[in-house]
Amino acid sequence: MKELISHMQKMVSLDLEEINYLEGELVSRDIKRKTCLVTEGQICQSLYFVEKGCLRAFFISEKGTEHTCQFAIENWWITDHMSLDNQRPSHFSIQAVENSKVITLTREKQAQLLNRIPKLERYFRLIVQRSFAASQLRIKYLFSQSGVERYQHFAESFPEFLQRVPQYMLASYLNISAEFLSKIRAGKV
Amino acid sequence: MKELISHMQKMVSLDLEEINYLEGELVSRDIKRKTCLVTEGQICQSLYFVEKGCLRAFFISEKGTEHTCQFAIENWWITDHMSLDNQRPSHFSIQAVENSKVITLTREKQAQLLNRIPKLERYFRLIVQRSFAASQLRIKYLFSQSGVERYQHFAESFPEFLQRVPQYMLASYLNISAEFLSKIRAGKV
DNA sequence: GAAACTTCTTGAACTGGTTCAAGAAATGGA
DNA sequence: TCCATTTCTTGAACCAGTTCAAGAAGTTTC
């Protein structure tokens, strides 16, 4: 819980009353590895803050293969905005990659918090800006780097995270096959 | 000018005083086709709202090929948030795809507007959420569709827009070569 | 209206990565 | 500790898309 308050305070100043209010409203839960918080096709009703662990957004293609679009580690939020904001069936599932501790913020609860503490509009704007920026950069790398380069770039940028996710999942995030990733790691390409 | 006010009012209510204030602060400019508003490597200092026409964010790869990451048509904002928010050199250039009418909002001016009309925090949060959602969906399509499918999907979704952009630019947005797009259109694949 | 420039088309050779199948290695549960 | 399940590895055949070069078609400028 204090991780989120702390995170918020990096971007907006909160007084004691506001902090107490937030602590009274927000609930942290343990989520077991592989638990789905959102299922593709359902309407997404919440945003999720990762206190500890990792979540991911993924979908299953028509061919039946899994593609991971996004990971969220500590201090990141994750949701399907298209579904949450428009109340339409989600294009993604959201799942725990490892045992995690997560704060679930329903759409109604967020509206309530923003009504009560309007300066959190700024917090959430800054949060989504950061996510959007990361997403744009990801598209740049998808366009400009080969599969090998994407893996190398990821390994250099996030060496510790590399150990935390199954290789098939990382491959699906990098948009390469699991077999190809194996060959990259074995130095066979 | 009234397009932007109109657009804002779809998401937040503005009284006459606020509208007059905004009209006094915002300036609309005509931008000639091919004009760059931001150059890769420079620090991005503004957000851009498209009243009429079209802008795009693109970059040049190490191989010298252009890749278009994002288009912004009427009623969309475009910027490089990574650069604007962190004051770091931009990963993208932003350019007019056709003669356009654009409102430029500097970082300072945005801060001033948000200070004076805090409810615009909500407007910008909703705007960025929409952009981020579009970007996530784009990643989904990049992962799950072949080049042919991406073109067909785009042609079905935005038939009029198709006529407004050069084919080589569309190809670079769909992450296929211009020659391949020609062959798709000729029914040769 | 002509010349210069830009955009689009086409065929063929090439290639980066996929797919498949089989089995090894690692992990989890009883 | 053993068995079941999941994850990873490997080689070879295959393919979606790229690249190159040449030229056609369209647009812009003078």
Side-chain angles (χ1 to χ4, degrees), chain A residues 85 87 138 163 165:
Chain A
D85 299 347
Q87 288 293 281
R138 176 147 153 73
Q163 319 302 329
V165 297

Side-chain angles (χ1 to χ4, degrees), chain B:
Chain B
M1 176 72 60
K2 63 180 79 130
E3 291 88 350
L4 177 49
I5 306 294
S6 207
H7 195 244
M8 286 174 163
Q9 284 187 296
K10 278 174 175 159
M11 302 174 208
V12 292
S13 64
L14 297 170
D15 63 34
L16 217 61
E17 191 193 323
E18 289 163 338
I19 292 175
N20 287 338
Y21 176 79
L22 288 166
E23 284 176 347
E25 293 296 330
L26 300 171
V27 180
S28 180
R29 277 202 289 151
D30 286 316
I31 308 293
K32 258 175 120 53
R33 179 174 170 272
K34 289 214 170 185
T35 301
C36 273
L37 299 170
V38 177
T39 303
E40 196 176 339
Q42 285 183 338
I43 294 179
C44 182
Q45 301 287 10
S46 305
L47 303 95
Y48 304 93
F49 178 81
V50 182
E51 284 192 314
K52 183 148 186 56
C54 179
L55 304 182
R56 70 166 176 153
F58 73 96
F59 68 95
I60 311 288
S61 73
E62 286 181 10
K63 292 173 186 163
T65 49
E66 271 189 19
H67 294 268
T68 299
C69 291
Q70 190 188 354
F71 287 113
I73 54 171
E74 291 85 358
N75 286 339
W76 280 76
W77 287 87
I78 190 167
T79 188
D80 176 349
H81 276 290
M82 193 70 81
S83 177
L84 182 70
D85 299 346
N86 304 325
Q87 289 292 281
R88 291 284 176 69
S90 182
H91 285 268
F92 304 101
S93 297
I94 296 178
Q95 181 191 55
V97 172
E98 54 193 23
N99 290 342
S100 304
K101 205 169 176 60
V102 169
I103 293 175
T104 300
L105 188 62
T106 65
R107 194 170 185 257
E108 295 71 32
K109 180 72 70 169
Q110 187 193 30
Q112 183 195 316
L113 293 189
L114 290 172
N115 194 56
R116 173 68 175 72
I117 312 178
K119 72 181 60 151
L120 290 182
E121 283 285 1
R122 177 183 172 81
Y123 168 72
F124 283 108
R125 173 175 67 84
L126 294 174
I127 283 309
V128 174
Q129 278 176 196
R130 183 174 74 157
S131 297
F132 179 46
S135 178
Q136 287 298 80
L137 208 50
R138 177 148 155 70
I139 289 174
K140 175 174 178 173
Y141 293 143
L142 285 169
F143 279 13
S144 59
Q145 292 176 334
S146 67
V148 174
E149 288 165 340
R150 291 203 289 281
Y151 172 71
Q152 287 170 337
H153 185 260
F154 193 94
E156 282 159 25
S157 306
F158 312 106
E160 277 142 42
F161 184 63
L162 212 54
Q163 316 304 329
R164 291 170 61 186
V165 297
Q167 206 168 279
Y168 76 84
M169 202 177 281
L170 177 61
S172 85
Y173 174 81
L174 297 174
N175 199 27
I176 57 180
S177 69
E179 294 90 334
F180 190 51
L181 181 50
S182 259
K183 291 162 188 170
I184 294 174
R185 288 165 64 95
K188 294 197 163 164
V189 287

Side-chain angles (χ1 to χ4, degrees), chain A residues 23-44:
Chain A
E23 283 176 348
E25 293 295 330
L26 300 171
V27 180
S28 181
R29 277 200 291 150
D30 286 316
I31 309 293
K32 255 176 122 54
R33 179 174 169 275
K34 288 212 168 186
T35 302
C36 274
L37 299 170
V38 177
T39 303
E40 195 176 341
Q42 287 184 334
I43 295 180
C44 184

Side-chain angles (χ1 to χ4, degrees), chain A residues 14-22 25 108-121:
Chain A
L14 298 171
D15 62 35
L16 216 63
E17 192 194 320
E18 290 166 334
I19 293 174
N20 287 339
Y21 176 77
L22 288 167
E25 293 295 330
E108 293 71 32
K109 179 74 70 172
Q110 188 195 27
Q112 183 194 316
L113 293 189
L114 291 173
N115 195 55
R116 174 66 177 71
I117 311 178
K119 73 180 64 152
L120 289 183
E121 285 284 1

Side-chain angles (χ1 to χ4, degrees), chain A residues 67-122:
Chain A
H67 295 269
T68 300
C69 291
Q70 193 190 351
F71 286 112
I73 54 170
E74 290 85 1
N75 285 338
W76 282 77
W77 287 86
I78 191 167
T79 187
D80 176 347
H81 274 291
M82 192 71 81
S83 178
L84 181 72
D85 299 347
N86 305 325
Q87 288 293 281
R88 292 283 178 69
S90 182
H91 285 268
F92 304 100
S93 297
I94 296 180
Q95 182 189 54
V97 172
E98 55 192 22
N99 291 342
S100 305
K101 204 171 179 58
V102 169
I103 292 174
T104 300
L105 187 62
T106 64
R107 196 169 182 257
E108 293 71 32
K109 179 74 70 172
Q110 188 195 27
Q112 183 194 316
L113 293 189
L114 291 173
N115 195 55
R116 174 66 177 71
I117 311 178
K119 73 180 64 152
L120 289 183
E121 285 284 1
R122 176 183 174 78

